[in-house]
Every structure is written in C-alpha cells, then in structure tokens.
Amino acid sequence: MFPWRVEVTCDGDQESTSSRTPSIDSNMQLSFADIEEWLDTHPEKMADYFLTKADISLVNRWLVLHGFLSIKDYVSSRRNSATTNISGDSSPIEKSCEFFSDSPDAFNCSKSVSKKHLRQDYALSKKMNVFRTCDTPGHGSDVSSIQSRRNSLKDMRKCLSLPSRSIYILNMLIQSKVEIPRFPSKGRDSKRELRLSNERQYFLESVQEIAHDLDVKSLTQKITVNLSVLVDSDGASLFLIQGPKSHRILVSKVFDLHTGTDIIVPSPTDDNEVRVPWGTGIMGHVAESGDIMNLTNASEHPKYNDEVDKICGYRIETLLCMPVRNADNDIIAVAQIFNKNSESGKGVFSPEDEKLAKMYLEFCGIALTNAYLFELSQKEYERNRSLLEVVHDLFEEQTSLDKVILKIMQRAQRLLNCERVALLLLQEGTYSEIVKFSRTFDLASPLAGSSTTNTHSWPELRTSSGLLQVAERVVCTGEVLNLTDPPEIQQDGGRHIWSLLSMPIRNRDYRIIGVAIIINGTDGTSFDENDEQLFEAFTLFCGLGINNALMYGELEKAIARQKVAIEVISYHGTSPRKEVQKFMETKIPATDEWQLENLKFDDFSLSSDEMLLASIKMFQNLGLISKFRIDYQSLCQFLCTMRKNYRNVPYHNWRHAFNVAQVMFAILTHCGMKSILTDLEIFGMFTGCLCHDLDHRGTNNAFQEKSGSALALLYGSKATMEQHHFNHAVMILSSKGHNIFSSLSATDYSRVMKILKQAILATDLSTYFQLRGKFFSLVDNAEYNWDVEDQREALRSLLMTACDLGASTKPWHIQKRVAELVTNEFFDQGDKEKTQLRIQPPALMDREKKNELPRLQYDWIDSICLPLYRCLAKINERFIEMVEGAVSNQVKWEDLSGQNLCIDKSEDSYGGARVSTEDFDSQTEQL
C-alpha cells in the first residue's frame, strides 16, 4: 500500500528494497507513530498520496481547518456578495473559531457559524486594497497567507498590466470562462500496482484519465505512461503529426525517450519539443505506411539510429511502433513502446501486447482529436482577439499612411509569428502588363522581447529582388502564393527563406492596391491553411485601413485646395477698394428721378453703376441703414462684390437681381406691404432679392441633375441652384468688410439669416406650388391671420415669387425684350443638352420649335402668374395694377400665337425681369 521506492540492481537480479525506513519484515505490524514518522521524513511521498487519494470532502475539511471557506460556501458567498449588506463585524471568538482554529473540532465549530457571518466576512475582505504592490505581515497573518493571496491575484495583475481599454477587459472576461477540465492522475508506481491487482479497472481508469484531458502536452505524458504500464515496458514516446500534407513533420510534446529516428531537430520555441522530419526512421515509415512494427532487435533494423541511445545512455532492445488513428482512419500520431519487461513476457512484445496497445490507442486517437480541436478553438479565439486588436489599431490611426502601415506590419509579425514582413503599394494607374510599386515597406527586426541576433541582416527590397517578382506575380494573377523552399528566392542576401506567404491587398471596390508578404515562421514550420485564412482576414482589414488612410490623404489635399481656392476667390471676387470708394463719394439722385416706386419701372433704364447706386438708395428709403446701423462702407463693399459675383449670362445676371429687388421695393412702398412686414423681415427679404441668383450658370436645376454636375453632387436634386445661391451669399457676407448684418444682436442675426435663406429658396417654383393651394384658400375665405408664423412665412415666400415673376406685369416692350433674353438662355441650354448630354430638350429650349413660344408664354401667364397676382390683389387692391399688366401681356402673346413668331437673338447681355428657367420647366410640365 505504501509507496516504497524499489531500485533495480545493476546485474538485473532480484529487486532490493533499499531506502526503506523503518526496516521491517513481512510479519511485523506497523504502529501509527511509525507511519507518521515515515511520512514526516518523506513529504513528497505524502503529497503524492494526498493528491492521489484525496476527495472533495477531504479538501473542504482541509480548507476549513486552515482558515478558508469551503468551496461551496465560497462560491455561494461570491454570488451573494453583490447584494449582501454589511451589518457589522464578526466577533473575535467567531473569527478564531472559523478561520484560525488548529483543533480537530474546528470543522464542527465552523458549521455552527451562520452563513450570514460568512457573507459578512467575505464582504469585509473585499474592502481590502487588493491592488497593493507589497504586504507586511501583521497580527493574525503570516508569510504563507500573504504568498497565497499574492498568487490568487496573479490573473488580476495580468489584467491590470494591460491598457485600460474595453477590448482587453472583454478578452479577460472571455478568457476567464475558458477552463480545461482536469482529471487527477496517479503516479507510475500506483498505476503498476493497480494493473497487477485489477487490469480491467486500470484500463478503464486509463481511458477515463485521457478522456478528461484537453491539453496536448499533458495528454501526451499520460498516454506514454499508460502505454508503458499497460504492456509492462520501460517507457514509451508519442509523436504527433503536424504541418500541411506536403510538408509534414513528427513532433513530440514531452521529452521522455525518443528513439528510432535518423534526424532530430530541436524546436526553437520549446526545449521539450523534438521534431522529426517526415519519412525518416522507423517512426516515419509507420506514419507513412500505417504498418505496425514489432522489432526484437531494434538496433539491427536498417532504419534504426542509435544517436539517442548514445545521448541518453540507454540501449533499446525491443521496440513496438504503432500508428494512432482518428475517427476518419487518418494517422494523426505514432506511438513507440520500448524494452519489454523480461519477467512478464520474456523481453518480447507479444501479440497480446499489440492487441492491448492497439485497443488503447483507439481511445487515444479520440482524446488526441478532442485535444486538437480544443487547441484549434483556443487558437481561433486568440486569432479573433488579435484581429479585433488589428481593427482597433487600424481604425484608431488613419491620419498617416506610414503610421497605419507600420502598425499593420507589427501586428502581422506578432499575429503570424514570422521573421519578416513586407508590404508593397501599387502605383496609381498600374496596368496588369506593367506592374509598378509606388512605395515599399519592410519590417525585418527581431520580435519584441527577443534577444536573438542574426548573423546576416535582411537585405532591402531591390528592383531585381525575387520578392518583387513574387509580388508582381500576385498582382498579375490575383492569387495567393504559399511557397516552401522557393528555389528562385531561397537565398536572399545570405538569408535562407524556407517559407513564404504572399497575398493581394484589396480596397472596398475589390481592386488590388498592394501586396503583403510574410517570410519564415519563427517556429521553423511552413505556413499552413490556418495561416492562410488568418492572413486573408488580416489583409482584408489592412486593405480597408490603407484605403481609408489614402482617402484621408486625398481629403486633406482637397481641403488644402479648397482653402487655396477660397483665398483666390476672396481676392479676385472682391471688388477693389478704389471702386468702393468711388461709389461712397458719388451723390445718389432722388428716388423720384429713377421712379423706383413705380410698378411699371423700365428695367432697361439704368446702367450697371446706376443700378448699384439705386440699390443703396432703396436701402436708405426703407430705413434699413439707420434702423440697423449698417456701416456705409460695408454696404457699398457688399453691393460691389455681389454685382461682381453675377456671371455674364443672357438673363440671370446682375440686372435681373436688381429688377427683382426694385419690384420688392415697389410692393413694399406702393402696395402697402411695409405695414404688414417687420423691419427685420424687410431687411432679409430685400437682401434676398439682390442675392437670389448669385453665380447662376444659365442652366436650370434639371440640367444640373441630368449632367451630374458638382452642384448636383453637393446639394442634391432639390432646389440645387437656390441652395448654391444662398451659400454664395453667406460666403460674401462672411468676407471681411462685407457683413451688413454685423450690428445685429445674436437673436436678430439668427432670425435675419433664416429669413434670407427662406427668401432665396422661395424662388424655386416647387415651393410656390406647394404653398399656393392652401394660401389661396385662406385668402379666398378671408381666414388669413398674419400673426400666425406659418401663414406669415407663406406670405413672404409668395411675395418673393411675385417679384421674381414681375417681368410678366411690365409694359409690352419690356416684356417682349425679357422674353428674347430668356429664350436665348433657354436655347443655349437646349444646345448643350443636344451636344453634351445627347438628349432631346423640351420644346421651350429647342431652337427648332421656337414657333411654339407665344402659346407657351400665354399658358405660362394664365396658369402661373395671374393666379398669384389676383390672390395678392385680394389682400391689397393695389396689386390690381400687376394683374392688369399680366392680362395685357397675355393678350399680346395670344395675338402672336396665331402667327409664326421670330425672336432675333440679341447680343445684349442684359437680364431683365426674370421668367426663371425653373418656371418654364414647371410650365412645360403643367401643359
């Protein structure tokens, strides 16, 4: 029963019982004192016996006896610690009874302590500073308890040593849930005794032992011990088959005794691992053929090598080598059992031994497969965690391409355990026939924390380098290259390349933008399919990171170009100081002299400079300069710059903007609208009339959308030009010395900018069509109330439309000339649609259908203009003058519709009262 150590004499005769204490014969009875004395002198034997025989109840008794909670109480206290209230401390008697009693009755005493006190003491213990870096023994503590507490906090210190980021906390939480099940293993001597007494029970326990172990290294050790005990041999070894099918090797996880090989290659990462090349020695033959080799004189076999015998000082006589298969009958390992015990089988492995070993190895194949799958799941977890860190790093830093690529290469080197990483970016516009790389990045330094120094440093990438040839091949084919001992680049600058994996890097459009290469795994093996899958996922994220970094670089350049463009526009788009000074010194005529309050004002009566002076006069007459303390120089600067920012197009130019503002001035003063609107509303609306067509290009919103212009991309398809006009006005107002709203309070400034935007956007006829149904109904039923903000906003919008369409109410000679200019601009757009867009323009813009213009003008006034002016006349009867003017022009167009109307194209760049391009599009849709 007791583990007496038995040593074998050199001559191989009978076993001698040396080192026996006390010395006894077979008939002597041992006392408890003798046994206790022997155990005290052999603590390692006592520990081995305790680990072998102890059950959970004995462990709980030991824990309670030495001042710890039992396992059940500890788990229960942890679950309840979050909701337990601390009501007080335990008494010293209870504490001493529970935690520091050395008497045999301590176990019974601990039961008497209530669970409430246990929870309280546990909660109090949580109040301790568990993050301290040192402990000082004090009253009631000793060095062993301090050391125990330090060991229990090892995982927590590991967590605290990591950066305080959520990704690391999540990783620790997941990792804490991954526990490998353990099954207690007996010593070799105990197993031999069990086999001799009950071979069936030993076989069952051996199977159970390996069935509950998922660690490959521990499992290998158990299998070798069990095999040697099962067939009664001196020892055994197990070699696992690893690597891809084309480059397999045999690997032993535990250094016990490895025999029958020709070449033994130690692993650089683990001193206990031994690697054997595929197809060499007795093991290699068994792994390839699957045969069982039972050798009586192993040293005489031609495949046997005695190098291990010489190193270990051990001679192999008999050898049994067998394959280990999985459920698919594939060989996954090779087991060797050597030197059969001569007493049990005459020193030769019998067929019965082969049968036993084969039966046990079938269970070993299942256990190894499970352990292998568990190891793969652990690796997959680590790889997923690493990929999460890769994503975090890549998208954390996107401002610099060099920094992004450096992180990519560092991560790849750690993630894939390789000696060298290279990354090559394709040059823009590279064709498949001619591959050119714009930049190359190379990281060949040793891994962090490694003290390994290389005799030959890696050379830089050269034009004639074999690595560049591999990269070009990847770009041309788009395939993944996994090369082992490539002859063309096997020696690169004195460095041996035994493994190389290269993949293309693609952007979000799946276009190749570069090539990533990893060289030489640090474990000395080739890159397998798992490495390929991991590298493929890695390059996918790298492609996104590099693409984002490149886009960010382009964005920075675009922002820089925008800043330069704004500076240039600000300089060239601003009126010269001398021009502003001239207008400031010019005397402005009286309002009556220019008839600015007349609704039949001649749109062609003033020159460009006179229109600017007339605009200043209208600001004065409306009382805006004095009311809002407008700086006179800023007003002149604003008007001069605004005039300069109207383009030289036939219709939507500075003259049209002035004419719309003049109609607004006449409506405010002549039609009594000034009494309804506030001064701030008048300020915003009148300024909006002057700015409502800034930077107009002579084409409408439909053309912007059809042509996919930059304006359509910037503002979308809804009120494209109107949004641009407003933003251009804001840019002018934001320029130094141009802000005529600068004296307003913050509230009034926000209000007037809102009115300005609404006024400009209201010139889009889609707004008119949205508002007129409800507004006309309110006016017809006299239900309008200008104190309601929605109705007030609708009134301002329709007044802007009335001013914009004011040319339709002017005398016939003005209306006809305006139609000529509008037609010229429309025909120009129609020509562009034919030549540039290759589409048929609407009849209103087609030169070949100009004879239809009178009829279209008649319908335009009848369906769009007259309903608006008649509605306004119901609000104030002074609008009847505009109604009469529109009706008169409608009659003229009706008369002309009975004959072919020929409107000669005028060379004048004037743009009279606006019949907007958007209006004509809407008119065509209505017709």
Side-chain angles (χ1 to χ4, degrees), residues 31 120 152 155 214 437 678 729 733 760 785-786 807 815 870 915:
S31 65
Q120 290 176 355
S152 66
D155 291 338
L214 295 176
F437 296 101
T678 64
L733 289 168
I760 295 177
N785 181 4
W786 305 134
Q815 163 68 18
R870 285 170 178 159
V915 182

Side-chain angles (χ1 to χ4, degrees), residues 344-373:
S344 60
K346 300 181 181 180
V348 179
F349 292 107
S350 65
E352 184 66 22
D353 293 332
E354 292 186 17
K355 183 179 179 180
L356 278 174
K358 183 178 180 181
M359 184 184 304
Y360 183 70
L361 289 178
E362 290 181 358
F363 293 99
C364 295
I366 299 174
L368 287 172
T369 301
N370 293 338
Y372 176 71
L373 293 176

Side-chain angles (χ1 to χ4, degrees), residues 158 237 253 279 650:
K158 178 182 177 182
S237 62
K253 295 289 184 180

Side-chain angles (χ1 to χ4, degrees), residues 739-772:
N739 193 356
I740 58 178
F741 302 142
S742 60
S743 62
L744 299 177
S745 64
T747 304
D748 289 344
Y749 189 89
S750 177
R751 172 71 173 164
V752 78
M753 291 301 294
K754 181 179 180 181
I755 294 173
L756 176 65
K757 182 176 183 179
Q758 176 205 341
I760 295 177
L761 294 182
T763 58
D764 182 9
L765 272 191
S766 62
T767 304
Y768 166 64
F769 288 122
Q770 292 173 5
L771 296 175
R772 74 174 190 171

Side-chain angles (χ1 to χ4, degrees), residues 593-596 600-608 610-611 655 658-659 662 813-814 817 910:
E593 183 178 340
W594 284 332
Q595 297 183 351
L596 296 176
K600 299 188 181 297
F601 172 79
D602 188 355
D603 294 348
F604 307 96
S605 59
L606 302 181
S607 65
S608 179
E610 288 175 334
M611 287 188 289
R655 183 175 291 276
F658 170 78
N659 288 331
Q662 184 275 323
H813 69 281
I814 300 174
R817 188 170 180 184
Y910 153 78

Side-chain angles (χ1 to χ4, degrees), residues 12 80 144 168 189 206-207 219 319 358 498 629 634 761 805:
N80 299 328
S144 61
Y168 293 104
D189 294 336
S206 300
V207 172
L219 184 62
L319 177 66
K358 183 178 180 181
W498 63 79
R629 301 186 302 278
S634 297
L761 294 182
L805 306 181

Side-chain angles (χ1 to χ4, degrees), residues 164 215 260 425 478:
S164 58
D215 181 69
L425 294 182

